């Protein structure tokens, strides 16, 4: 099944409309959940993550005509999301540890924070991911949760691809050490 959605106007850049309003609708449909989960990963607060998501799509709408298509729309939106989160955090690393964004469900009726805390307590692997330095957490999230490749992660985080590959390698090594101690890896 194709991820291209044709809603209105002429099509451009990966099947997205040239019209910013129609493109915004397409982006929100295809990537709204990814943006929200990424914002939640960084901000660790559902309400702030929702605010970030809105700001991301406002920026995407305003800048759609200048988007050249050098990266995928998904990577472009991820970069905007990372930048908005960093802006909101005052360009510093976060003192609170993020939670597993895969546990966030937009339609969940119970408290997201309660559900996340409950599930995280049962997740040894994610617990150990959270023990890693923040740059390692970031690359693991973008690589494994968003399925971005190292080039796309470099674009999204404004780091070199070599830096991303190095962080990913060291993060995997560190995670392997943690998992061996827990008897989850050989």
């Amino acid at each position: 099944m194709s991820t291209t959605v044709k809603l209105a106007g002429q099509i451009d850049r990966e099947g997205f409309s040239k019209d910013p309003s129609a493109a915004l609708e397409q982006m929100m449909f295809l990537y709204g959940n990814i943006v929200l989960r990424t914002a939640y990963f960084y901000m660790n607060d559902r309400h702030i993550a929702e605010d970030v998501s809105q700001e991301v799509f406002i920026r995407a709408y305003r800048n759609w005509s200048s988007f050249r298509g050098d990266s995928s729309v998904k990577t472009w939106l991820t970069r905007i999301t990372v930048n908005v989160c960093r802006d909101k955090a005052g360009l510093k690393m976060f003192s609170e540890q993020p939670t597993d964004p895969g546990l966030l469900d937009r339609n969940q009726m119970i408290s997201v924070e309660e559900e996340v805390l409950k599930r995280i307590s049962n997740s040894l692997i994610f617990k150990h991911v959270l023990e890693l330095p923040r740059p390692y957490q970031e690359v693991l999230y973008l690589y494994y949760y968003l399925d971005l490749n190292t080039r796309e992660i470099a674009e999204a985080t404004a780091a070199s691809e070599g830096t991303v590959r190095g962080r990913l390698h060291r993060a995997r090594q560190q995670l392997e050490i943690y998992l061996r101690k827990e008897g989850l890896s050989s």
Side-chain angles (χ1 to χ4, degrees):
M1 179 177 156
S2 173
T3 60
T4 301
V5 177
K6 183 174 181 177
L7 298 174
Q10 292 183 312
I11 299 300
D12 194 28
R13 302 175 203 97
E14 298 178 41
F16 284 83
S17 175
K18 288 183 182 180
D19 173 57
S21 296
L24 177 65
E25 190 175 334
Q26 290 173 279
M27 287 184 279
M28 289 175 72
F29 175 77
L30 292 172
Y31 303 117
N33 203 31
I34 288 171
V35 168
L36 178 64
R37 287 176 184 219
T38 302
Y40 189 74
F41 172 79
Y42 279 92
M43 305 312 293
N44 200 28
D45 181 283
R46 176 162 183 130
H47 299 293
I48 295 172
E50 289 170 348
D51 290 345
V52 166
S53 294
Q54 287 180 352
E55 189 169 335
V56 166
F57 286 112
I58 288 169
R59 287 186 187 188
Y61 173 79
R62 288 181 182 154
N63 295 300
W64 180 244
S65 61
S66 63
F67 174 63
R68 296 185 316 258
D70 294 339
S71 64
S72 70
V73 172
K74 178 181 176 183
T75 301
W76 183 61
L77 288 172
T78 301
R79 181 174 186 133
I80 294 170
T81 306
V82 168
N83 288 338
V84 171
C85 289
R86 287 178 177 171
D87 289 348
K88 287 204 177 287
L91 298 174
K92 63 182 169 94
M93 289 300 166
F94 312 105
S95 59
E96 289 184 49
Q97 293 296 319
T99 53
D100 185 344
L103 303 174
L104 180 62
D105 181 0
R106 292 187 89 151
N107 300 319
Q108 199 169 15
M109 299 308 272
I110 63 172
S111 165
V112 173
E113 288 80 9
E114 289 174 21
E115 181 64 18
V116 168
L117 289 173
K118 178 180 145 192
R119 290 188 187 185
I120 283 184
S121 66
N122 297 327
S123 173
L124 270 176
I125 293 174
F126 201 76
K127 172 186 167 257
H128 291 302
V129 168
L130 296 178
E131 293 172 0
L132 297 172
R134 185 70 178 144
Y136 297 171
Q137 294 174 21
E138 182 177 60
V139 296
L140 287 172
Y141 171 76
L142 296 171
Y143 189 82
Y144 289 106
Y145 279 87
L146 294 189
D147 294 322
L148 297 180
N149 61 40
T150 55
R151 181 187 52 76
E152 292 169 323
I153 294 169
E155 290 174 19
T157 61
S160 73
E161 191 171 354
T163 297
V164 169
R165 282 194 303 269
R167 287 177 181 168
L168 192 56
H169 177 73
R170 287 187 298 279
R172 288 175 180 147
Q173 286 179 324
Q174 196 68 37
L175 193 56
E176 179 71 21
I177 291 168
Y178 291 146
L179 295 178
R180 279 189 187 150
K181 287 180 184 177
E182 296 288 337
L184 298 172
S185 179
S186 54

